[in-house]
Amino acid sequence: MAFAAIATLALGSGINTAVFSVTSALLLKPFAYRDPARLVMIEVKRKDSNGEINNDFSLGRYELVRDQNRSFSGVAAAASDTADFTGRGEPLEVPIARVSPNFFSVLGVNPQLGRVFTDAEGTPGGAPVVMISDSLWRSRFGADPGILGQTVNLDAEPQTVIGVLPATVKFPFLGPADVWSPRYYELSIVSPQNIRNGVGYLTSIARLAPGISIDSAATELNVLNSRYTQENPKAPDGGPNVWMTASDLRARTVSGLRTGLLLLSAAVGVILLISCANVANLLLSHSLTRRKELAIRAALGAGSGAILRQLLTESVLLTSLGGAIGLALSWAATKYLVVSGAGIVPSGFPIEMDWRVFLFTIATSAFAAFAVGLSPALQLLHTDVRSALSEEVRGASTGRSRRQLANILVVAQIALSMVLLVGTGLLIRSFALLVTVQPGFDSANVLTANISLPGLKYPTGPAMIGFFDLLLRRVSAIPGVSSAAMSATLPLTHIRISPILVEGQPVLPLAERPFTIIEAISPRFFDVMRIPVVAGRAFNEGDTNQSPHVVIVNAALAHRYWPGQNPVGRHISVGRQTIAEIVGVASNAANSGLTLDTEPQVYLPFPQLFWGNMNILVRTKADPHSLFPLVRKAVAALDPDLPVMKLQTVADIMDDARAQPRFTMSLLGIFSIVALVMAVVGVHGVLACSLAQRRFELGIRMALGGTSGQILRMMVGQGLALATAGIALGVAGAIALTRVMASVLYKTGPRDPLTLIAAPVIFLIVCLLASYIPARRAARIDPAEVLRQS
């Protein structure tokens, strides 16, 4: 009995502690910055026909807020970028954070070596300096303490290292970075002209001034927003439908994970309640053997308080052992969660078992001790000494209150398990629909690779166009390659949006035009991805930077502006470019993830929207992984200093897109199986205990003519009655509670009929099997033997 109780409590406590370790790291543990509660993220929001969307800061908007606000003691800016790191072994593309010079002082972060940037270094013409991460310092420089003052090559430009950041300080709101540069006014994928014209690319972090609240800062941001629009009437990030907000930095960083974490926390909380109910029932059953012992203690003068302390002490011992083992289990479970959740949890959140986790384990163990020990203790305290000493365990009425309490605990277990099972069923239904989503392209046998051209080596459009054109020719000639093309973004994603003006629509200022996804592609892109061009033509070699501007629109954009019509031959303006002719309409392909509808999109020929960071897409005749070395070799033959990054298959990208819902579904599925097993054990235990208590009664029934079939039906009926009551309560609770899951479900409502029917049926069948085993033993009772033993 003790082993089973400890194991059950260890399982419940361990799962809870593991999930709390993750929840604490993401939601509770403060950032490792100075006074992190005063840090906010300032965001630009826009409302148009697509609804409310988030925009990045433009350089001009950031500088206005930085220089004219009174609500913040400091306003910093940052942008994620990449650069080619050369001269220290194999070429490597490293993630870069381009930050304003005051970035580290606003956050309150100091380097472990060297210094932070000066204001002069953050201006055009400033000294080319960088800071590097602890991991890059150790991997490429061997943790050389003399690193300060050394030169590194980034995009073929020498940069002087002035500092090394601590390994413990991360920046999850920006993503991973190995190099920090004060050139926040530059970005490799945006031209200087577009930056000056007001394109958004910056993230803004600010520190509230003393005595200033977020609400009062938001009020001033509204004033500054109006001022920016008045001073920049033609800027694309202005207009009447644009505003700025401020929100807590930590809360904003983890906002996309909060619902999933709370869902998992609630699930493991249910597991803990079920395990406590299960152990309480176990102790309640065991109390039958201790009634006489405690009655003797009472008869010898032991008071109720002394007996209660003894029983609760035993419960504390059980739960303490369970908690200790659970803590060890949680260490392994936490490691599993971290590994299996890699790529889902934002980088920069160290997940570890700190003092919060230990306090949580102690709190859960104390709760378990109280929940487990109180009910059996009170039942034993109310035992009549005289009846216990005379061994009155015969009548059907004997121990009725104890059986009622055991039944209540089992019904509660079943109800809680039912809520988990319904939640898991909804996630399974949702994931099954997600797996069958047709993205609008063929992901089989396509590999992708990212190549970023350094601006110093490839400073002009013709240089970039010439390199990628030659690379496509070389890759297309590789044996086993069917076709090759380029795109600025990977499948399922988009990077750039631009205001557009469609022929036939009212002429609006640039800032008031609707924003639409734009994409630069090479000829054969639609062939490689097998996206049908349903009207007009695809791009060809004649669509150069010298030829008339042309575009291809997707079906979503065509339907929005020309429903039921063929837009080929119409015209559209993209950003500040001259008017372009629509030469084709492509079928819709997912461009905002698998779970969202395809957004309107405009495709432009790469020579007419060139930039240095592109993805090559290669359709192969066999396993695409086998061609990875050959693609690297083709790039190295053209430029040995260029790293090839993000070498993967489109199938891998699709799999990654399903990673988070699969992870949540898997965890909740494991939890619901554990809960189901515990509930079934509870049903079996109650019936087995009932059989032990009612053995004399059942013997009398059979002696008076009762048949084995009648006894079997009676006992199974008792189990099914408990199961039915628990299932009914569980379904009602699930309908009420699963509404919070709406945001994590894909095309599945929280009241999905199939789930609400299938889950109870499955549970009822399992409970029927659990009831049958003790019922069958009851049906085989020999009445003569029972009467002789009485």
Side-chain angles (χ1 to χ4, degrees):
M1 187 281 296
F3 175 79
I6 291 172
T8 302
L9 290 171
L11 182 61
S13 175
I15 292 175
N16 271 268
T17 303
V19 172
F20 180 79
S21 299
V22 178
T23 304
S24 174
L26 296 179
L27 301 184
L28 302 178
K29 190 176 182 180
F31 281 139
Y33 312 136
R34 172 173 53 84
D35 195 9
R38 304 294 295 170
L39 293 172
V40 298
M41 179 179 289
I42 307 176
E43 294 180 282
V44 181
K45 295 183 179 292
R46 172 187 295 275
K47 187 174 183 180
D48 61 12
S49 56
N50 297 325
E52 183 180 310
I53 57 175
N54 291 330
N55 283 0
D56 292 324
F57 260 70
S58 65
L59 180 61
R61 180 181 286 272
Y62 160 69
E63 290 176 341
L64 181 141
V65 173
R66 179 196 63 190
D67 298 337
Q68 301 186 25
N69 85 88
R70 298 189 179 187
S71 298
F72 307 106
S73 59
V75 181
S80 296
D81 202 356
T82 59
D84 295 341
F85 180 95
T86 56
R88 296 273 179 167
E90 183 182 347
L92 176 70
E93 184 182 81
V94 294
I96 289 182
R98 297 184 178 273
V99 300
S100 56
N102 65 339
F103 178 80
F104 298 106
S105 61
V106 168
L107 293 175
V109 172
N110 295 313
Q112 61 175 311
L113 290 178
R115 62 173 178 85
V116 297
F117 302 121
T118 65
D119 290 340
E121 290 165 343
T123 59
V129 296
V130 294
M131 299 173 68
I132 63 174
S133 68
D134 179 85
S135 60
L136 185 65
W137 176 50
R138 295 181 183 280
S139 63
R140 288 293 173 130
F141 300 94
D144 179 10
I147 181 65
L148 301 180
Q150 292 189 31
T151 299
V152 298
N153 292 324
L154 294 172
D155 284 346
E157 182 179 2
Q159 307 274 343
T160 302
V161 178
I162 64 167
V164 179
L165 287 168
T168 56
V169 178
K170 305 293 183 181
F171 306 92
F173 48 86
L174 284 180
D178 281 321
V179 176
W180 283 262
S181 167
R183 295 184 178 182
Y184 68 99
Y185 46 83
E186 297 177 355
L187 197 67
S188 62
I189 62 174
V190 181
S191 69
Q193 180 181 358
N194 283 338
I195 288 178
R196 288 192 301 271
N197 288 338
V199 68
Y201 69 101
L202 291 169
T203 296
S204 182
I205 309 299
R207 180 174 291 277
L208 292 170
I212 301 297
S213 67
I214 289 182
D215 291 339
S216 60
T219 301
E220 187 187 24
L221 287 174
N222 288 332
V223 175
L224 294 175
N225 180 69
S226 299
R227 188 177 303 168
Y228 177 79
T229 299
Q230 292 171 2
E231 295 176 1
N232 303 273
K234 296 183 179 181
D237 62 333
N241 295 326
V242 178
W243 68 97
M244 289 189 289
T245 64
S247 55
D248 178 79
L249 178 61
R250 183 185 192 85
R252 184 65 187 87
T253 303
V254 299
S255 59
L257 297 172
R258 184 177 296 274
T259 300
L261 285 172
L262 294 179
L263 181 65
L264 292 178
S265 298
V268 296
V270 169
I271 293 288
L272 181 62
L273 291 175
I274 293 172
S275 63
C276 289
N278 220 327
V279 175
N281 241 338
L282 192 63
L283 294 180
L284 199 60
S285 301
H286 182 64
S287 68
L288 287 174
T289 63
R290 304 191 61 187
R291 295 176 70 249
K292 190 170 183 178
E293 170 206 336
L294 295 177
I296 293 173
R297 289 177 182 270
L300 293 175
S304 299
I307 294 176
L308 182 61
R309 284 193 299 273
Q310 175 194 343
L311 296 174
L312 289 180
T313 299
E314 293 173 359
S315 299
V316 168
L317 181 60
L318 285 175
T319 53
S320 297
L321 289 173
I325 297 173
L327 196 62
L329 290 175
S330 70
W331 181 85
T334 301
K335 295 295 183 184
Y336 166 77
L337 291 175
V338 171
V339 172
S340 59
I344 300 173
V345 176
S347 61
F349 288 96
I351 298 174
E352 55 193 6
M353 299 182 69
D354 57 10
W355 63 269
R356 293 177 182 81
V357 176
F358 286 101
L359 284 182
F360 177 81
T361 304
I362 292 171
T364 53
S365 297
F367 168 79
F370 179 80
V372 164
L374 187 62
S375 296
L378 292 177
Q379 281 289 317
L380 288 172
L381 283 178
H382 286 90
T383 297
D384 180 71
V385 174
R386 182 176 300 175
S387 62
L389 292 175
S390 61
E391 294 289 345
E392 57 33 301
V393 223
R394 291 188 179 183
S397 63
T398 301
R400 182 173 298 168
S401 62
R402 187 178 296 109
R403 289 199 301 271
Q404 289 174 345
L405 178 58
N407 290 343
I408 291 172
L409 290 173
V410 168
V411 168
Q413 289 183 62
I414 294 173
L416 292 171
S417 302
M418 194 68 231
V419 172
L420 274 184
L421 192 60
V422 169
T424 302
L426 291 174
L427 288 175
I428 291 173
R429 285 272 291 159
S430 174
F431 188 74
L433 292 173
L434 187 62
V435 169
T436 60
V437 168
Q438 298 300 319
F441 53 80
D442 183 3
S443 62
N445 291 345
V446 178
L447 68 84
T448 72
N450 178 263
I451 295 99
S452 181
L453 303 179
L456 284 181
K457 283 181 92 171
Y458 303 88
T460 64
M464 298 178 193
I465 295 168
F467 174 86
F468 283 118
D469 181 65
L470 187 56
L471 178 61
L472 282 180
R473 294 178 188 275
R474 285 181 175 269
V475 171
S476 298
I478 295 175
V481 170
S482 298
S483 55
M486 289 186 312
S487 68
T489 58
L490 293 171
L492 302 181
T493 61
H494 64 268
I495 294 178
R496 290 186 289 185
I497 60 174
S498 176
I500 64 169
L501 181 62
V502 174
E503 180 182 346
Q505 297 292 313
V507 177
L508 297 172
L510 191 67
E512 298 180 27
R513 297 176 185 177
F515 276 69
T516 299
I517 297 171
I518 62 172
E519 169 73 292
I521 61 173
S522 70
R524 306 207 67 186
F525 169 80
F526 296 111
D527 291 336
V528 172
M529 297 305 298
R530 294 182 179 170
I531 301 173
V533 176
V534 295
R537 67 171 178 87
F539 296 136
N540 56 45
E541 304 296 338
D543 297 317
T544 68
N545 59 342
Q546 303 296 323
S547 63
H549 284 212
V550 294
V551 299
I552 294 173
V553 301
N554 70 350
L557 188 141
H559 177 74
R560 173 169 294 183
Y561 294 104
W562 299 282
Q565 303 176 48
N566 185 354
V568 173
R570 306 267 187 148
H571 295 82
I572 186 172
S573 293
V574 179
R576 286 186 168 86
Q577 288 190 0
T578 57
I579 295 177
E581 179 184 355
I582 299 174
V583 297
V585 178
S587 181
N588 286 335
N591 52 21
S592 298
L594 285 175
T595 61
L596 299 176
D597 294 334
T598 302
E599 295 288 336
Q601 183 168 353
V602 178
Y603 297 94
L604 293 89
F606 171 69
Q608 296 179 8
L609 189 66
F610 55 82
W611 58 356
N613 191 304
M614 295 293 289
N615 298 284
I616 188 167
L617 305 164
V618 183
R619 179 164 291 279
T620 66
K621 299 175 183 177
D623 180 14
H625 295 88
S626 63
L627 297 187
F628 282 4
L630 298 180
V631 172
R632 290 185 185 275
K633 185 177 179 180
V635 175
L638 295 177
D639 190 334
D641 290 334
L642 280 182
V644 179
M645 304 301 295
K646 299 178 182 177
L647 202 52
Q648 59 189 327
T649 67
V650 175
D652 293 334
I653 295 173
M654 295 280 289
D655 195 53
D656 289 343
R658 303 186 182 104
Q660 184 165 345
R662 179 174 58 244
F663 179 66
T664 305
M665 179 194 68
S666 300
L667 284 184
L668 203 61
I670 293 172
F671 298 156
S672 65
I673 291 173
V674 171
L676 178 62
V677 170
M678 286 186 176
V680 168
V681 169
V683 172
H684 180 276
V686 162
L687 292 182
C689 181
S690 177
L691 173 60
Q693 294 179 50
R694 301 176 63 187
R695 184 177 177 81
F696 181 77
E697 171 204 337
L698 296 175
I700 293 292
R701 287 178 180 270
M702 297 188 72
L704 295 175
T707 64
S708 297
Q710 290 173 333
I711 299 298
L712 181 67
R713 286 192 295 272
M714 181 182 70
M715 295 296 291
V716 170
Q718 180 183 344
L720 290 183
L722 295 175
T724 302
I727 289 171
L729 289 174
V731 170
I735 292 174
L737 297 177
T738 51
R739 294 177 184 176
V740 300
M741 296 178 59
S743 62
V744 298
L745 297 176
Y746 174 70
K747 292 188 177 180
T748 304
R751 297 185 179 183
D752 177 58
L754 180 60
T755 303
L756 293 178
I757 293 173
V761 169
I762 292 172
F763 213 129
L764 199 61
I765 293 173
V766 173
C767 287
L768 177 63
L769 295 175
S771 304
Y772 179 76
I773 297 173
R776 188 178 178 185
R777 287 205 304 269
R780 292 178 174 178
I781 289 177
D782 183 353
E785 182 182 349
V786 170
L787 293 175
R788 277 197 307 270
Q789 293 176 353
S790 64

